[in-house]
Amino acid sequence: MALLDVEGLRFKYKDVNLFNDCAFRILPNDHIVLVGDNGTGKSTFMKLICKNLIPDAGKVIWMNNVTYAYLDQHLKVTDNISIQDYIVDVFKPLFDKEALMNSYYDKLATCPEYEYEKWMSYAESIQHELDNSNFYWINSTLGNMVNGLGIAEYGMDTKLGNLSGGQRAKVYLAKLLLEEPDVLLMDEPTNFLDTAHIEWLAKYLKDFKKAFVVISHDEWFLNEIAGTVYNLNNKNMVRYNMPYQQYLKEREIREEQYLADYKKQQEFIKRTETFIAKNIVRATTSKQAKSRRKMLERIDKIEKPKNHEPMHITFPFSKGLGQEVLKLNKLTVGYGDKKVLEDLDFLLKQNQKVVILGHNGVGKSTIIKTIMDIIKPIDGTYTWNPSADLNYFAQEEFYADNVTPVEYLRYYYHLKTDGELRTILASAGIKGDLAIKPMNELSGGEQTKVRLALMSMKKSNVLIFDEPTNHLDILSKAELWDSIDQFPGSVILVTHEDDFYEGLVDLKLDFGD
């Protein structure tokens, strides 16, 4: 029996259907990955099955007593609580039971003899519950989780508000996994994980005895965890009961058939409409023409195949530089008095492309923010070539309420017309209504494309990217790779995706163990 059944699902945004009578189900022990291009509605679908949104039509039916937990790609976590308190809160009901059990044992010392069996029975009953819940393995379970995701090194007493966005995301993920619901629902869980921690999570999910649904654009991760693939395309959901690599081959066959069926139906519709136009007013054939018109009104029309919206982004080059672009001299970076990386010496040369590697919290983003003068160095110096024109993509961006992509770009280039800004956005794959949709309602990948469109408006000779591939679909990553590769200036890149920087950079700066 299905843990979740979705039937006839429809959801509109500005009178445009995102889904056409979608069907979806989660069976016990299903290991599902949900894939599709940016903007097809994967995150919206996840919010619908979590009941964070209400569908316009159809049913979302969870089996009684099934528990599920949802990891959002845009995390919002309370700041003023320690990692320890936040995570251990998962086990609070068990600790409360232990406290109650101990209070019953305490009563044995003072209670009348005739009540002894009663309090002993109460205590033993709770003891049995704790044993069945593996209560006395909590420390081991917790240790495996925080070490596997690299959280322990932050210090378990550290407040969430003092962590980076990526670090907080890992803490939230750890708590979600420790809750062990019947169904895990995760939207881009690898976005803020290092390679080693992605590998740990992949193994955890492969061994997971219950069900999960994961949205991801990381092909290696998908290959590792997928038992079933749902592809969201052309406003419909198709289930593939097969591993990811096999799905890729099967999808290609089905998409070719879908296109053939669409073309065939369009030809039929065109012939029928031509017949109706010619015969609707003729007395001898009017009845036949009206009959065909009714038939066309009832026909289930195949949705026009939606192709990937390509990014044609060029990062314009400003001017050449001398051999020395950026020089670090005994640079120490961190926050306040807390040192993250010390005594850094490095020289970035003209036209050199460099990737900065290392686990979350090692200081990759801290280096970037320091050389961008967002935070001050603790010690040492960094020196840019006076002719350096910097173009920066930050890991995290926050948007004013209801600001649209057009308005977002106009804030920086206020003399540009709507038409000019729309053309620039279209080159990044943000077309039509997406250009006037609030940024906070766009998918993570679409937001990234808007920010890349902004970068394409600035002439520079140094590009600086802090995790630019987060949320981008596979084809968009390849297009961004090409754009960076063709840039004739220097590039500083932070990414956790090996596949993205291989063949792109000249030098690796690894701050790992």
Side-chain angles (χ1 to χ4, degrees):
M1 187 173 181
L3 304 178
L4 170 70
D5 259 319
V6 177
E7 303 169 0
L9 188 73
R10 286 178 175 260
F11 185 79
K12 288 182 178 179
Y13 177 78
K14 290 189 176 179
D15 296 325
V16 176
N17 267 330
L18 281 179
F19 315 113
N20 283 340
D21 297 323
C22 273
F24 182 89
R25 60 175 12 201
I26 303 174
L27 301 173
N29 311 121
D30 256 350
H31 287 185
I32 296 171
V33 297
L34 175 55
V35 299
D37 278 353
N38 292 137
T40 52
K42 301 184 298 297
S43 295
T44 300
F45 181 82
M46 195 77 95
K47 290 174 183 175
L48 285 163
I49 65 175
C50 289
K51 299 191 175 180
N52 290 349
L53 293 174
I54 300 173
D56 296 316
K59 298 178 180 178
V60 176
I61 306 169
W62 285 95
M63 183 191 294
N64 289 339
N65 301 318
V66 168
T67 59
Y68 59 87
Y70 172 46
L71 179 74
D72 192 353
Q73 64 171 307
H74 301 296
L75 296 173
K76 295 177 182 176
V77 182
T78 303
D79 285 346
N80 192 27
I81 185 174
S82 72
I83 296 173
Q84 178 78 20
D85 290 343
Y86 180 73
I87 292 180
V88 171
D89 184 64
V90 171
F91 303 111
K92 185 177 183 303
L94 294 178
F95 284 115
D96 289 345
K97 285 183 179 181
E98 182 193 37
L100 181 59
M101 177 187 71
N102 289 336
S103 73
Y104 292 155
Y105 280 131
D106 289 343
K107 288 182 181 293
L108 297 178
T110 57
C111 71
E113 187 175 344
Y114 66 84
E115 290 186 349
Y116 187 90
E117 288 298 328
K118 177 181 71 173
W119 297 119
M120 177 62 77
S121 175
Y122 288 166
E124 288 178 343
S125 175
I126 295 176
Q127 181 74 68
H128 183 68
E129 289 181 39
L130 293 177
D131 289 340
N132 287 341
S133 300
N134 293 318
F135 176 72
Y136 298 101
W137 287 92
I138 282 178
N139 287 337
S140 175
T141 302
L142 182 61
N144 176 54
M145 189 69 63
V146 298
N147 286 308
L149 289 173
I151 294 169
E153 63 196 55
Y154 307 153
M156 298 300 286
D157 292 333
T158 302
K159 300 290 187 184
L160 297 187
N162 294 331
L163 299 176
S164 69
Q167 291 170 336
R168 285 198 304 273
K170 288 203 291 186
V171 173
Y172 192 84
L173 173 61
K175 183 175 181 180
L176 184 86
L177 297 179
L178 287 168
E179 287 173 351
E180 292 193 342
D182 298 316
V183 183
L184 286 171
L185 303 170
M186 294 184 284
D187 191 349
E188 301 282 10
T190 66
N191 268 357
F192 297 100
L193 297 182
D194 312 314
T195 301
H197 302 138
I198 292 173
E199 292 172 357
W200 182 90
L201 179 59
K203 184 180 185 307
Y204 181 93
L205 292 176
K206 283 169 70 174
D207 296 338
F208 192 60
K209 303 301 182 186
K210 300 179 182 179
F212 64 70
V213 181
V214 171
I215 295 172
S216 179
H217 295 113
D218 186 322
E219 285 204 283
W220 181 89
F221 186 64
L222 294 171
N223 280 327
E224 290 294 306
I225 69 171
T228 297
V229 181
Y230 269 98
N231 180 28
L232 179 54
N233 192 25
N234 298 317
K235 303 181 182 181
N236 278 298
M237 197 80 75
V238 178
R239 181 178 174 116
Y240 297 80
N241 292 312
M242 57 189 69
Y244 184 74
Q245 281 299 321
Q246 188 178 343
Y247 145 78
L248 292 175
K249 298 174 183 176
E250 182 66 23
R251 181 194 66 182
E252 188 174 348
I253 295 170
R254 292 199 190 189
E255 286 182 349
E256 289 175 359
Q257 185 60 53
Y258 185 94
L259 179 60
D261 291 344
Y262 172 78
K263 289 179 177 178
K264 186 176 180 180
Q265 187 184 72
Q266 288 298 303
E267 290 169 0
F268 170 75
I269 291 172
K270 186 175 180 179
R271 288 198 307 271
T272 305
E273 287 176 340
T274 300
F275 177 87
I276 294 169
K278 289 181 178 179
N279 294 279
I280 194 71
V281 295
R282 293 181 182 176
T284 56
T285 57
S286 176
K287 186 175 180 180
Q288 189 177 4
K290 289 177 181 178
S291 175
R292 294 194 183 187
R293 185 166 61 186
K294 288 182 180 179
M295 179 269 293
L296 275 187
E297 291 171 355
R298 292 194 298 267
I299 194 172
D300 287 330
K301 291 186 178 180
I302 299 173
E303 193 77 27
K304 182 179 180 180
K306 185 182 184 302
N307 297 320
H308 168 76
E309 293 289 357
M311 290 199 301
H312 300 292
I313 286 180
T314 300
F315 300 113
F317 185 66
S318 58
K319 57 183 176 292
L321 290 169
Q323 282 301 309
E324 295 189 359
V325 176
L326 169 67
K327 188 173 184 177
L328 310 185
N329 183 26
K330 302 297 182 183
L331 182 67
T332 296
V333 301
Y335 296 88
D337 296 328
K338 182 182 178 182
K339 298 177 181 179
V340 178
L341 288 170
E342 300 182 63
D343 295 329
L344 302 177
D345 290 307
F346 174 69
L347 176 63
L348 177 67
K349 298 178 181 179
Q350 181 177 222
N351 305 337
Q352 193 174 44
K353 293 180 173 64
V354 176
V355 63
I356 300 176
L357 305 174
H359 56 74
N360 280 98
V362 75
K364 303 186 300 294
S365 294
T366 309
I367 295 173
I368 298 298
K369 290 177 182 177
T370 302
I371 63 175
M372 288 300 300
D373 203 29
I374 296 171
I375 59 176
K376 298 298 181 184
I378 293 176
D379 199 4
T381 62
Y382 65 91
T383 307
W384 284 104
N385 184 305
S387 297
D389 300 319
L390 310 183
N391 202 351
Y392 172 48
F393 182 99
Q395 182 179 134
E396 295 178 289
E397 180 83 359
F398 301 96
Y399 310 101
D401 290 343
N402 298 317
V403 66
T404 67
V406 168
E407 292 166 345
Y408 178 79
L409 265 57
R410 183 179 289 113
Y411 176 83
Y412 298 94
Y413 296 93
H414 57 274
L415 297 180
K416 294 284 188 182
T417 66
D418 278 10
E420 289 172 323
L421 296 175
R422 278 178 167 271
T423 298
I424 292 164
L425 288 166
S427 70
I430 304 298
K431 299 179 178 179
D433 287 344
L434 286 179
I436 54 174
K437 186 177 180 179
M439 289 285 286
N440 289 323
E441 294 181 16
L442 298 181
S443 71
E446 289 166 342
Q447 291 177 3
T448 295
K449 290 178 180 181
V450 173
R451 294 168 61 197
L452 291 171
L454 177 63
M455 290 183 71
S456 75
M457 300 175 72
K458 179 179 180 180
K459 288 186 177 182
S460 64
N461 45 31
V462 182
L463 298 177
I464 302 173
F465 294 99
D466 192 352
E467 298 287 4
T469 61
N470 283 351
H471 310 297
L472 285 182
D473 59 54
I474 292 160
L475 292 176
S476 298
K477 288 178 189 178
E479 290 155 355
L480 176 59
W481 192 99
D482 288 338
S483 298
I484 296 174
D485 186 52
Q486 291 164 15
F487 182 69
S490 301
V491 176
I492 300 174
L493 171 67
V494 173
T495 182
H496 64 275
E497 296 195 42
D498 296 358
D499 292 343
F500 187 73
Y501 67 76
E502 290 295 348
L504 179 63
V505 301
D506 308 304
L507 181 66
K508 300 175 186 177
L509 297 180
D510 194 342
F511 295 103
D513 297 330

